[in-house]
Amino acid sequence: MSEEKNLNFIEEIISQDLASGKYDQILTRFPPEPNGYLHIGHAKSICLNFGLSAHFGGGTNLRFDDTNPSTEETEYVDSIKADLKWLGFNWVKECYASDYFDTLYGFAVQLIEKGLAYVDDSTAEEIALQKGTPTAAGTGNEYRNRSIAENLELFTNMKAGKYADGAKVLRAKIDLANPNMLLRDPILYRIKKAHHHRTSDKWCIYPMYDFAHGQSDAIENITHSICTLEFIPHRALYDWGIENLGIYPSKQYEFSRLNITYTILSKRKLLQLVQEGHVSSWDDPRMPTISGMRRRGYTPESIRDFCDRIGIAKRENIIDFSLLEFCVREHLNKIAQRRMVVTDPIKLVITNYDKGEEVLHSENNPEDPEGGLRELPFSNELYIQRDDFMEEPTKKYFRLGPGLMVRLKSAYIVKCDSFEKDAAGVVQTVYVSYVPESKSGSDTSGIHVKGTLHWVSAKHAVPVVLNEYDRLFKVEDVASAEGDFKDYLNEQSLTKTNAWAEPALVSDALDMRFQFLRKGYFYQDNTSTKDALVFNRTVTLKDAWAKEQKK
RNA sequence: UGCCUGAUAGUAUAAUGGUAGUACGACUGUUUUUGGUGCAGUUUGUCUUGGUUCGAAUCCAGGUCGGGCAACCA
């Protein structure tokens, strides 16, 4: 363990618990409900829980909180495990709340026997009404006074399937006037004749979160049970269960959940986007899901770095999306292979180049001296970006225009002599002459130019499709914007562009990270093939010129 | 007219009674065969009012503002 100073409040608690000898090692858990895919908000919790046990010594369980059969599926279980592994974390045990159903049932019987739980025949509406309001105490009903024997029999019958869904519930007998609404005789078990993804039809009664989570923590001997702020009021119940059942005293701690600008981080809302077709799937590259980010080209390292940087505290927060972008750029800059891809091309003809063609070489990554070189075919007919030519260049424009000189990346310096427009007045071809002694790496021309353009040789270029993504929502704080969050969807969040790429791309591995020079970082989509290359833009490069133009 | 929780630059986060620091953002300059990267620098902050103290972001009291709590969801 390193000598670190700035501990967050949870690390502070743990290091005190360790120093006082309360624990020799810690055990945390990551407890998703398998009712959706993991998103970047979960990543924060994952990095926290796994990071804590790695840092202080101990382990982390993966526990599926599968107590509600009507929303949970095996597909989600599998995706969660895959995402966790991809992020680079290993759990010590794979657990399921459903593995504890027998134990939990026994716990409930214990409470009934102690006179601390009763079967209530009221409807959901009646129970809600009898609970009172935050400012008015609740009232009891006749079921609250049932005898232990009667409760035992009724609960046995509930388990045996003798009653319809909703006919009865098991409630804790605590305090109907408690200022904490959660303590006003909370429901422990409900009848649900639904098929469970693991226990199948064995059970028709299922424990509620508040009678499963703390109990599962205790069963696994979790030392520090870390959850988000909205569970603070549940802590009293969590402790009540542990105390009255006499089980392992796990402790709950809460931190504030992640929010990101221009993003929604709610499984329910993300599911809506998928179901209503606003995105193609859970792993649509625009989704803030781990699988979406993976498909878009984010690296696990960049996501972990992000989670490190945002910190852990108890105050509500909304993190700038630009911090996430900074984290990916920083990692990708170090590892991405440089390639040249031209969108919206105009033809560049080199009038004095009579070699026909030659093979040039360019570095794969200027950040990596050992990254090596790649072959780059060059010829007298190239494609360059349309916006790299300006008929009447403005001040500070360092690119091509009549009489202007630029360097073609890893090739030669060229000078624009003339250009040609079509009938509609659109520039089609730019004619240049090159400086033979300016060849990259052996430049003896002594000419200094300000701009360097990327290019591809027209006859060697391969067609590719680029998926360029923008933020999914138009407003910063989507969650607190008025009305339906879907009204704020950015309908321009995906632009598909046809482009021309240098041929090296065809032979590159599918999982390589690329930087298309002057355009951004790209990653091959999982639908991409050698014959039809498709790339997702992970993130743009910082663009100082675009900023300059806005002025 | 309840209970619980929180408040430090634009956004996060640290300082645990003793120099308000760091990162991202923004802005300068510089380097550069990517208007990328790197490097150097500038900018902006303790919610409020009292109190305790030699000294308060930190402790105490009142106020203000934000978030949560009345699912047979987790």
Side-chain angles (χ1 to χ4, degrees), chain A residues 460-495:
Chain A
H460 301 94
V462 295
V464 298
V465 171
L466 266 30
N467 290 328
E468 298 180 301
Y469 299 102
D470 195 3
R471 42 179 70 119
L472 233 199
F473 291 93
K474 290 183 284 196
V475 292
E476 254 189 43
D477 192 347
V478 190
S480 35
E482 255 174 67
D484 187 354
F485 74 101
K486 287 178 292 222
D487 295 344
Y488 300 98
L489 275 164
N490 173 12
E491 39 300 282
Q492 272 109 47
S493 56
L494 167 60
T495 312

mmCIF file of all heavy atoms in Angstrom, chain A residues 460-495:
data_model
loop_
_atom_site.group_PDB
_atom_site.id
_atom_site.type_symbol
_atom_site.label_atom_id
_atom_site.label_comp_id
_atom_site.label_asym_id
_atom_site.label_seq_id
_atom_site.Cartn_x
_atom_site.Cartn_y
_atom_site.Cartn_z
ATOM 1 N N HIS A 460 -5.055 4.380 -55.251
ATOM 2 C CA HIS A 460 -4.843 3.367 -54.216
ATOM 3 C C HIS A 460 -5.871 3.429 -53.087
ATOM 4 O O HIS A 460 -5.922 2.547 -52.236
ATOM 5 C CB HIS A 460 -3.455 3.531 -53.592
ATOM 6 C CG HIS A 460 -2.335 3.417 -54.583
ATOM 7 N ND1 HIS A 460 -1.777 4.520 -55.196
ATOM 8 C CD2 HIS A 460 -1.708 2.337 -55.101
ATOM 9 C CE1 HIS A 460 -0.832 4.115 -56.032
ATOM 10 N NE2 HIS A 460 -0.771 2.797 -56.000
ATOM 11 N N ALA A 461 -6.660 4.485 -53.067
ATOM 12 C CA ALA A 461 -7.565 4.708 -51.937
ATOM 13 C C ALA A 461 -8.650 3.644 -51.850
ATOM 14 O O ALA A 461 -9.098 3.118 -52.860
ATOM 15 C CB ALA A 461 -8.219 6.082 -52.062
ATOM 16 N N VAL A 462 -9.037 3.313 -50.625
ATOM 17 C CA VAL A 462 -10.136 2.365 -50.426
ATOM 18 C C VAL A 462 -11.318 3.102 -49.789
ATOM 19 O O VAL A 462 -11.138 3.969 -48.941
ATOM 20 C CB VAL A 462 -9.721 1.183 -49.524
ATOM 21 C CG1 VAL A 462 -8.648 0.343 -50.195
ATOM 22 C CG2 VAL A 462 -9.240 1.664 -48.170
ATOM 23 N N PRO A 463 -12.524 2.750 -50.224
ATOM 24 C CA PRO A 463 -13.701 3.412 -49.659
ATOM 25 C C PRO A 463 -14.011 2.900 -48.255
ATOM 26 O O PRO A 463 -13.890 1.702 -48.000
ATOM 27 C CB PRO A 463 -14.816 3.039 -50.644
ATOM 28 C CG PRO A 463 -14.376 1.748 -51.236
ATOM 29 C CD PRO A 463 -12.873 1.760 -51.257
ATOM 30 N N VAL A 464 -14.340 3.810 -47.369
ATOM 31 C CA VAL A 464 -14.749 3.427 -46.012
ATOM 32 C C VAL A 464 -15.958 4.260 -45.616
ATOM 33 O O VAL A 464 -16.236 5.295 -46.222
ATOM 34 C CB VAL A 464 -13.621 3.666 -44.968
ATOM 35 C CG1 VAL A 464 -12.393 2.824 -45.280
ATOM 36 C CG2 VAL A 464 -13.248 5.136 -44.897
ATOM 37 N N VAL A 465 -16.675 3.795 -44.611
ATOM 38 C CA VAL A 465 -17.791 4.562 -44.076
ATOM 39 C C VAL A 465 -17.429 4.995 -42.658
ATOM 40 O O VAL A 465 -16.920 4.198 -41.869
ATOM 41 C CB VAL A 465 -19.087 3.728 -44.060
ATOM 42 C CG1 VAL A 465 -20.192 4.461 -43.296
ATOM 43 C CG2 VAL A 465 -19.535 3.426 -45.484
ATOM 44 N N LEU A 466 -17.649 6.268 -42.382
ATOM 45 C CA LEU A 466 -17.368 6.810 -41.061
ATOM 46 C C LEU A 466 -18.672 7.128 -40.342
ATOM 47 O O LEU A 466 -19.526 7.823 -40.895
ATOM 48 C CB LEU A 466 -16.567 8.107 -41.217
ATOM 49 C CG LEU A 466 -15.035 8.088 -41.168
ATOM 50 C CD1 LEU A 466 -14.438 6.795 -41.683
ATOM 51 C CD2 LEU A 466 -14.465 9.296 -41.874
ATOM 52 N N ASN A 467 -18.813 6.628 -39.135
ATOM 53 C CA ASN A 467 -19.934 7.028 -38.284
ATOM 54 C C ASN A 467 -19.425 8.113 -37.353
ATOM 55 O O ASN A 467 -18.627 7.845 -36.451
ATOM 56 C CB ASN A 467 -20.449 5.856 -37.451
ATOM 57 C CG ASN A 467 -21.163 4.821 -38.304
ATOM 58 O OD1 ASN A 467 -21.797 5.160 -39.309
ATOM 59 N ND2 ASN A 467 -21.055 3.565 -37.909
ATOM 60 N N GLU A 468 -19.873 9.327 -37.586
ATOM 61 C CA GLU A 468 -19.414 10.426 -36.736
ATOM 62 C C GLU A 468 -20.503 10.778 -35.738
ATOM 63 O O GLU A 468 -21.619 11.117 -36.121
ATOM 64 C CB GLU A 468 -19.032 11.624 -37.606
ATOM 65 C CG GLU A 468 -17.888 11.263 -38.541
ATOM 66 C CD GLU A 468 -17.466 12.416 -39.447
ATOM 67 O OE1 GLU A 468 -18.298 12.912 -40.220
ATOM 68 O OE2 GLU A 468 -16.302 12.810 -39.351
ATOM 69 N N TYR A 469 -20.155 10.651 -34.462
ATOM 70 C CA TYR A 469 -21.138 10.835 -33.399
ATOM 71 C C TYR A 469 -20.998 12.176 -32.708
ATOM 72 O O TYR A 469 -19.906 12.689 -32.516
ATOM 73 C CB TYR A 469 -20.996 9.727 -32.359
ATOM 74 C CG TYR A 469 -21.239 8.365 -32.940
ATOM 75 C CD1 TYR A 469 -20.181 7.517 -33.240
ATOM 76 C CD2 TYR A 469 -22.528 7.945 -33.235
ATOM 77 C CE1 TYR A 469 -20.400 6.271 -33.802
ATOM 78 C CE2 TYR A 469 -22.757 6.709 -33.794
ATOM 79 C CZ TYR A 469 -21.695 5.873 -34.075
ATOM 80 O OH TYR A 469 -21.923 4.659 -34.632
ATOM 81 N N ASP A 470 -22.151 12.687 -32.338
ATOM 82 C CA ASP A 470 -22.206 13.907 -31.547
ATOM 83 C C ASP A 470 -22.955 13.550 -30.270
ATOM 84 O O ASP A 470 -23.485 12.444 -30.146
ATOM 85 C CB ASP A 470 -22.940 14.995 -32.340
ATOM 86 C CG ASP A 470 -22.730 16.378 -31.747
ATOM 87 O OD1 ASP A 470 -21.978 16.492 -30.760
ATOM 88 O OD2 ASP A 470 -23.322 17.337 -32.266
ATOM 89 N N ARG A 471 -23.041 14.481 -29.312
ATOM 90 C CA ARG A 471 -23.753 14.178 -28.075
ATOM 91 C C ARG A 471 -25.200 13.791 -28.359
ATOM 92 O O ARG A 471 -25.825 14.267 -29.301
ATOM 93 C CB ARG A 471 -23.677 15.357 -27.115
ATOM 94 C CG ARG A 471 -23.863 16.698 -27.774
ATOM 95 C CD ARG A 471 -23.803 17.809 -26.756
ATOM 96 N NE ARG A 471 -22.472 18.006 -26.211
ATOM 97 C CZ ARG A 471 -21.782 19.141 -26.320
ATOM 98 N NH1 ARG A 471 -22.291 20.174 -26.956
ATOM 99 N NH2 ARG A 471 -20.597 19.247 -25.776
ATOM 100 N N LEU A 472 -25.725 12.901 -27.508
ATOM 101 C CA LEU A 472 -27.071 12.361 -27.710
ATOM 102 C C LEU A 472 -28.155 13.371 -27.358
ATOM 103 O O LEU A 472 -29.250 13.332 -27.905
ATOM 104 C CB LEU A 472 -27.260 11.121 -26.834
ATOM 105 C CG LEU A 472 -27.741 9.811 -27.464
ATOM 106 C CD1 LEU A 472 -28.302 8.878 -26.393
ATOM 107 C CD2 LEU A 472 -28.763 10.000 -28.578
ATOM 108 N N PHE A 473 -27.853 14.288 -26.445
ATOM 109 C CA PHE A 473 -28.857 15.275 -26.021
ATOM 110 C C PHE A 473 -28.372 16.704 -26.236
ATOM 111 O O PHE A 473 -27.172 16.967 -26.234
ATOM 112 C CB PHE A 473 -29.214 15.068 -24.543
ATOM 113 C CG PHE A 473 -29.979 13.795 -24.295
ATOM 114 C CD1 PHE A 473 -29.301 12.638 -23.960
ATOM 115 C CD2 PHE A 473 -31.356 13.749 -24.435
ATOM 116 C CE1 PHE A 473 -29.994 11.443 -23.749
ATOM 117 C CE2 PHE A 473 -32.057 12.574 -24.237
ATOM 118 C CZ PHE A 473 -31.370 11.414 -23.893
ATOM 119 N N LYS A 474 -29.345 17.590 -26.393
ATOM 120 C CA LYS A 474 -29.023 18.975 -26.721
ATOM 121 C C LYS A 474 -28.832 19.870 -25.506
ATOM 122 O O LYS A 474 -28.329 20.971 -25.628
ATOM 123 C CB LYS A 474 -30.132 19.564 -27.603
ATOM 124 C CG LYS A 474 -30.151 18.967 -29.009
ATOM 125 C CD LYS A 474 -31.207 19.625 -29.879
ATOM 126 C CE LYS A 474 -32.587 19.144 -29.521
ATOM 127 N NZ LYS A 474 -33.599 19.446 -30.559
ATOM 128 N N VAL A 475 -29.292 19.411 -24.334
ATOM 129 C CA VAL A 475 -29.165 20.259 -23.153
ATOM 130 C C VAL A 475 -28.176 19.653 -22.159
ATOM 131 O O VAL A 475 -27.995 18.446 -22.104
ATOM 132 C CB VAL A 475 -30.515 20.486 -22.440
ATOM 133 C CG1 VAL A 475 -31.430 21.328 -23.306
ATOM 134 C CG2 VAL A 475 -31.171 19.165 -22.095
ATOM 135 N N GLU A 476 -27.564 20.552 -21.388
ATOM 136 C CA GLU A 476 -26.543 20.116 -20.441
ATOM 137 C C GLU A 476 -27.091 19.188 -19.377
ATOM 138 O O GLU A 476 -26.600 18.092 -19.175
ATOM 139 C CB GLU A 476 -25.933 21.346 -19.753
ATOM 140 C CG GLU A 476 -24.554 21.660 -20.242
ATOM 141 C CD GLU A 476 -23.890 22.734 -19.409
ATOM 142 O OE1 GLU A 476 -23.993 22.701 -18.173
ATOM 143 O OE2 GLU A 476 -23.282 23.617 -20.017
ATOM 144 N N ASP A 477 -28.119 19.652 -18.707
ATOM 145 C CA ASP A 477 -28.659 18.888 -17.588
ATOM 146 C C ASP A 477 -29.969 18.235 -18.019
ATOM 147 O O ASP A 477 -31.042 18.763 -17.772
ATOM 148 C CB ASP A 477 -28.870 19.826 -16.391
ATOM 149 C CG ASP A 477 -29.144 19.066 -15.113
ATOM 150 O OD1 ASP A 477 -29.423 17.851 -15.190
ATOM 151 O OD2 ASP A 477 -29.094 19.681 -14.039
ATOM 152 N N VAL A 478 -29.849 17.099 -18.654
ATOM 153 C CA VAL A 478 -31.029 16.445 -19.229
ATOM 154 C C VAL A 478 -32.008 16.017 -18.144
ATOM 155 O O VAL A 478 -33.223 16.187 -18.279
ATOM 156 C CB VAL A 478 -30.623 15.205 -20.061
ATOM 157 C CG1 VAL A 478 -31.813 14.680 -20.845
ATOM 158 C CG2 VAL A 478 -29.483 15.535 -21.009
ATOM 159 N N ALA A 479 -31.488 15.485 -17.059
ATOM 160 C CA ALA A 479 -32.350 14.944 -16.009
ATOM 161 C C ALA A 479 -33.251 16.010 -15.399
ATOM 162 O O ALA A 479 -34.398 15.748 -15.074
ATOM 163 C CB ALA A 479 -31.511 14.271 -14.930
ATOM 164 N N SER A 480 -32.733 17.242 -15.262
ATOM 165 C CA SER A 480 -33.593 18.244 -14.631
ATOM 166 C C SER A 480 -34.224 19.215 -15.628
ATOM 167 O O SER A 480 -34.846 20.179 -15.227
ATOM 168 C CB SER A 480 -32.837 18.991 -13.525
ATOM 169 O OG SER A 480 -31.499 19.159 -13.836
ATOM 170 N N ALA A 481 -34.091 18.911 -16.922
ATOM 171 C CA ALA A 481 -34.790 19.734 -17.909
ATOM 172 C C ALA A 481 -36.285 19.442 -17.824
ATOM 173 O O ALA A 481 -36.695 18.317 -17.539
ATOM 174 C CB ALA A 481 -34.265 19.419 -19.305
ATOM 175 N N GLU A 482 -37.090 20.453 -18.066
ATOM 176 C CA GLU A 482 -38.528 20.291 -17.957
ATOM 177 C C GLU A 482 -39.103 19.385 -19.035
ATOM 178 O O GLU A 482 -38.620 19.359 -20.160
ATOM 179 C CB GLU A 482 -39.213 21.663 -18.074
ATOM 180 C CG GLU A 482 -39.710 22.193 -16.741
ATOM 181 C CD GLU A 482 -40.238 23.609 -16.866
ATOM 182 O OE1 GLU A 482 -41.275 23.774 -17.540
ATOM 183 O OE2 GLU A 482 -39.595 24.529 -16.323
ATOM 184 N N GLY A 483 -40.136 18.660 -18.691
ATOM 185 C CA GLY A 483 -40.816 17.831 -19.682
ATOM 186 C C GLY A 483 -40.119 16.517 -19.934
ATOM 187 O O GLY A 483 -39.306 16.055 -19.140
ATOM 188 N N ASP A 484 -40.457 15.903 -21.066
ATOM 189 C CA ASP A 484 -39.951 14.587 -21.420
ATOM 190 C C ASP A 484 -38.498 14.688 -21.886
ATOM 191 O O ASP A 484 -38.174 15.495 -22.757
ATOM 192 C CB ASP A 484 -40.825 14.012 -22.542
ATOM 193 C CG ASP A 484 -40.460 12.565 -22.838
ATOM 194 O OD1 ASP A 484 -39.480 12.062 -22.277
ATOM 195 O OD2 ASP A 484 -41.172 11.955 -23.644
ATOM 196 N N PHE A 485 -37.659 13.838 -21.316
ATOM 197 C CA PHE A 485 -36.230 13.895 -21.669
ATOM 198 C C PHE A 485 -36.004 13.637 -23.158
ATOM 199 O O PHE A 485 -35.030 14.109 -23.734
ATOM 200 C CB PHE A 485 -35.423 12.911 -20.811
ATOM 201 C CG PHE A 485 -35.580 11.460 -21.183
ATOM 202 C CD1 PHE A 485 -34.609 10.817 -21.942
ATOM 203 C CD2 PHE A 485 -36.689 10.737 -20.776
ATOM 204 C CE1 PHE A 485 -34.751 9.481 -22.292
ATOM 205 C CE2 PHE A 485 -36.832 9.401 -21.123
ATOM 206 C CZ PHE A 485 -35.867 8.777 -21.878
ATOM 207 N N LYS A 486 -36.932 12.916 -23.783
ATOM 208 C CA LYS A 486 -36.739 12.585 -25.200
ATOM 209 C C LYS A 486 -36.932 13.799 -26.123
ATOM 210 O O LYS A 486 -36.506 13.792 -27.266
ATOM 211 C CB LYS A 486 -37.677 11.450 -25.604
ATOM 212 C CG LYS A 486 -37.206 10.107 -25.013
ATOM 213 C CD LYS A 486 -38.134 8.985 -25.348
ATOM 214 C CE LYS A 486 -39.396 9.122 -24.713
ATOM 215 N NZ LYS A 486 -40.399 8.734 -24.101
ATOM 216 N N ASP A 487 -37.591 14.851 -25.586
ATOM 217 C CA ASP A 487 -37.731 16.075 -26.369
ATOM 218 C C ASP A 487 -36.379 16.737 -26.612
ATOM 219 O O ASP A 487 -36.247 17.604 -27.458
ATOM 220 C CB ASP A 487 -38.639 17.075 -25.643
ATOM 221 C CG ASP A 487 -40.061 16.553 -25.534
ATOM 222 O OD1 ASP A 487 -40.392 15.602 -26.272
ATOM 223 O OD2 ASP A 487 -40.814 17.074 -24.702
ATOM 224 N N TYR A 488 -35.390 16.344 -25.822
ATOM 225 C CA TYR A 488 -34.085 16.991 -25.919
ATOM 226 C C TYR A 488 -33.064 16.173 -26.692
ATOM 227 O O TYR A 488 -31.884 16.498 -26.719
ATOM 228 C CB TYR A 488 -33.555 17.299 -24.514
ATOM 229 C CG TYR A 488 -34.478 18.216 -23.743
ATOM 230 C CD1 TYR A 488 -35.388 17.709 -22.816
ATOM 231 C CD2 TYR A 488 -34.466 19.588 -23.982
ATOM 232 C CE1 TYR A 488 -36.251 18.544 -22.134
ATOM 233 C CE2 TYR A 488 -35.323 20.434 -23.303
ATOM 234 C CZ TYR A 488 -36.218 19.906 -22.385
ATOM 235 O OH TYR A 488 -37.073 20.741 -21.714
ATOM 236 N N LEU A 489 -33.549 15.086 -27.310
ATOM 237 C CA LEU A 489 -32.639 14.268 -28.114
ATOM 238 C C LEU A 489 -32.072 15.091 -29.262
ATOM 239 O O LEU A 489 -32.773 15.880 -29.898
ATOM 240 C CB LEU A 489 -33.407 13.063 -28.685
ATOM 241 C CG LEU A 489 -33.519 11.839 -27.773
ATOM 242 C CD1 LEU A 489 -34.594 10.904 -28.265
ATOM 243 C CD2 LEU A 489 -32.178 11.136 -27.655
ATOM 244 N N ASN A 490 -30.793 14.899 -29.529
ATOM 245 C CA ASN A 490 -30.135 15.574 -30.641
ATOM 246 C C ASN A 490 -30.338 14.726 -31.885
ATOM 247 O O ASN A 490 -29.780 13.632 -31.995
ATOM 248 C CB ASN A 490 -28.648 15.731 -30.306
ATOM 249 C CG ASN A 490 -27.847 16.275 -31.464
ATOM 250 O OD1 ASN A 490 -28.403 16.746 -32.462
ATOM 251 N ND2 ASN A 490 -26.531 16.204 -31.346
ATOM 252 N N GLU A 491 -31.129 15.214 -32.819
ATOM 253 C CA GLU A 491 -31.420 14.372 -33.985
ATOM 254 C C GLU A 491 -30.231 14.297 -34.947
ATOM 255 O O GLU A 491 -30.229 13.516 -35.874
ATOM 256 C CB GLU A 491 -32.721 14.729 -34.707
ATOM 257 C CG GLU A 491 -33.138 16.197 -34.897
ATOM 258 C CD GLU A 491 -33.328 16.995 -33.611
ATOM 259 O OE1 GLU A 491 -34.366 16.846 -32.944
ATOM 260 O OE2 GLU A 491 -32.414 17.802 -33.294
ATOM 261 N N GLN A 492 -29.201 15.092 -34.667
ATOM 262 C CA GLN A 492 -27.980 14.996 -35.477
ATOM 263 C C GLN A 492 -26.849 14.267 -34.746
ATOM 264 O O GLN A 492 -25.672 14.551 -34.969
ATOM 265 C CB GLN A 492 -27.487 16.394 -35.862
ATOM 266 C CG GLN A 492 -28.097 16.915 -37.143
ATOM 267 C CD GLN A 492 -29.079 18.033 -36.853
ATOM 268 O OE1 GLN A 492 -28.780 18.951 -36.096
ATOM 269 N NE2 GLN A 492 -30.266 17.952 -37.440
ATOM 270 N N SER A 493 -27.228 13.321 -33.905
ATOM 271 C CA SER A 493 -26.192 12.664 -33.105
ATOM 272 C C SER A 493 -25.377 11.652 -33.913
ATOM 273 O O SER A 493 -24.340 11.200 -33.470
ATOM 274 C CB SER A 493 -26.808 11.979 -31.893
ATOM 275 O OG SER A 493 -27.809 11.073 -32.294
ATOM 276 N N LEU A 494 -25.858 11.292 -35.092
ATOM 277 C CA LEU A 494 -25.090 10.377 -35.947
ATOM 278 C C LEU A 494 -25.052 10.884 -37.384
ATOM 279 O O LEU A 494 -26.079 11.183 -37.974
ATOM 280 C CB LEU A 494 -25.717 8.972 -35.930
ATOM 281 C CG LEU A 494 -25.216 7.991 -37.006
ATOM 282 C CD1 LEU A 494 -23.718 7.744 -36.884
ATOM 283 C CD2 LEU A 494 -25.970 6.676 -36.929
ATOM 284 N N THR A 495 -23.846 11.009 -37.927
ATOM 285 C CA THR A 495 -23.678 11.354 -39.332
ATOM 286 C C THR A 495 -22.862 10.257 -39.996
ATOM 287 O O THR A 495 -21.743 9.970 -39.565
ATOM 288 C CB THR A 495 -22.916 12.689 -39.473
ATOM 289 O OG1 THR A 495 -23.496 13.639 -38.600
ATOM 290 C CG2 THR A 495 -22.983 13.203 -40.905
#
